[in-house]
Each structure stands twice: as structure tokens, then as C-alpha cells.
Amino acid sequence: MVNPKYAEQVLVGIQYKNSFSWYLGDCEMWYLDYNEAGYLPSEYEKEREGIPILTKDTVDAFLERIEQNKINTEDIKRKFLSELEENPNDAIYDYRPCFLVDFDNSIFYSQFPESISFEEYIPKDWKGYFQKFYENVPDKFRYWQIDGKNYFK
């Protein structure tokens, strides 16, 4: 597993078909509507080639392409704890999830740490929010809550 890196390699929660998963990838891959974001077809990430707008209709192909980016919650937790011991400040920044994409309800949540508004570049029938979304993540996937301590308060 590649480690998350602040504002570059980001952790993303995906809610789809009543199932939740974590993925790690380049932040640019998570503009749901590349057209709205001003991307040209030649600029698409290979994972998004032919998928300029990521919706319920295109997500299956996309998730198949990024299967290698899927991360088990326990693996994230183990690496997060290890990083906390070595470099606590970096761990808090690097391992904070940036996006939650809820394909079941057509909602995109962003808490991207830089001044890029990913939540504005979404399909027309979606809702986008810039806000903390930790409480929207199912309990068993909250790798930042360890032994009763919440590291992302």
C-alpha cells in the first residue's frame, strides 16, 4: 500500500450498493465532472479515460480500474498507528480522509485541505458539500477511532 500524502495521495470513502470501501489515489481523480473542472480529454487520469463524468452509470467501470487502490480498513489503521508513533503531526494530516462519495444517494462530501472546491465539480443531479463527514462513515470503517480515542476531532 502506498501511503497517503497530504493533498496528493488521498483517502476516499466510497458508498455504493449499500457497501462502504476506502480507496487511495491522486486527488485529481476525484473531480466527479471533469468537464466542469475544465479538464481536456488528454488530461484525464488513466483510471478515468472515457469517463469524464463519474456517476452511478459509470462507477462500475471506474471501480474496476481502481481495484488495486482499494484499502482494507485494518491496513489503514495499522499504518496510521505506526505513523502516529513516528510522526504524529504528519499522520493527522496525511491520513485524514479527503472525500466521501455516496453513489447511493448522489452526494459528494469534501474536506480537501487546500483551496480547491472539488464539491463544485459534480454531476448536475448531485449535491456537493464542503464539510466534515466523519459521522457519515460507518463505525467499523472509522480507522481514526482507536481504543475510545478520536484522532480527528
Side-chain angles (χ1 to χ4, degrees):
M1 169 178 139
V2 174
N3 291 338
K5 180 76 174 146
Y6 177 84
E8 294 175 21
Q9 288 289 316
V10 298
L11 286 163
V12 179
I14 299 289
Q15 177 71 38
Y16 181 54
K17 294 183 178 176
N18 296 314
S19 181
F20 188 90
S21 301
W22 288 111
Y23 290 85
L24 179 68
D26 292 336
C27 62
E28 289 83 10
M29 189 166 56
W30 299 103
Y31 287 110
L32 294 192
D33 188 334
Y34 273 3
N35 298 327
E36 286 293 317
Y39 272 63
L40 300 174
S42 62
E43 297 174 318
Y44 291 171
E45 301 287 325
K46 67 180 181 197
E47 297 88 354
R48 292 283 299 275
E49 187 175 345
I51 306 174
I53 302 174
L54 194 51
T55 66
K56 289 179 191 177
D57 297 330
T58 57
V59 69
D60 286 317
F62 175 68
L63 292 178
E64 186 176 309
R65 292 177 188 177
I66 66 166
E67 180 65 28
Q68 74 279 1
N69 298 49
K70 192 173 185 178
I71 305 171
N72 178 287
T73 303
E74 289 305 314
D75 290 341
I76 301 171
K77 183 183 286 188
R78 187 174 47 258
K79 291 196 105 167
F80 177 57
L81 282 171
S82 175
E83 188 69 26
L84 273 173
E85 289 178 15
E86 293 178 31
N87 202 338
N89 288 334
D90 283 351
I92 297 298
Y93 284 110
D94 291 343
Y95 282 82
R96 190 178 303 266
C98 285
F99 309 118
L100 174 61
V101 187
D102 183 343
F103 286 97
D104 293 337
N105 297 298
S106 302
I107 302 172
F108 181 89
Y109 296 96
S110 173
Q111 53 187 20
F112 190 70
E114 297 294 317
S115 62
I116 301 172
S117 301
F118 283 83
E119 69 280 1
E120 293 179 10
Y121 305 111
I122 58 175
K124 289 179 175 74
D125 57 341
W126 279 57
K127 294 179 182 160
Y129 302 100
F130 181 76
Q131 68 182 47
K132 289 183 180 176
F133 53 77
Y134 304 130
E135 292 183 10
N136 298 78
V137 174
D139 288 343
K140 70 180 186 176
F141 296 99
R142 295 180 188 179
Y143 60 87
W144 58 86
Q145 292 180 341
I146 304 165
D147 296 330
K149 183 171 182 176
N150 183 343
Y151 287 90
F152 293 157
K153 279 192 168 187

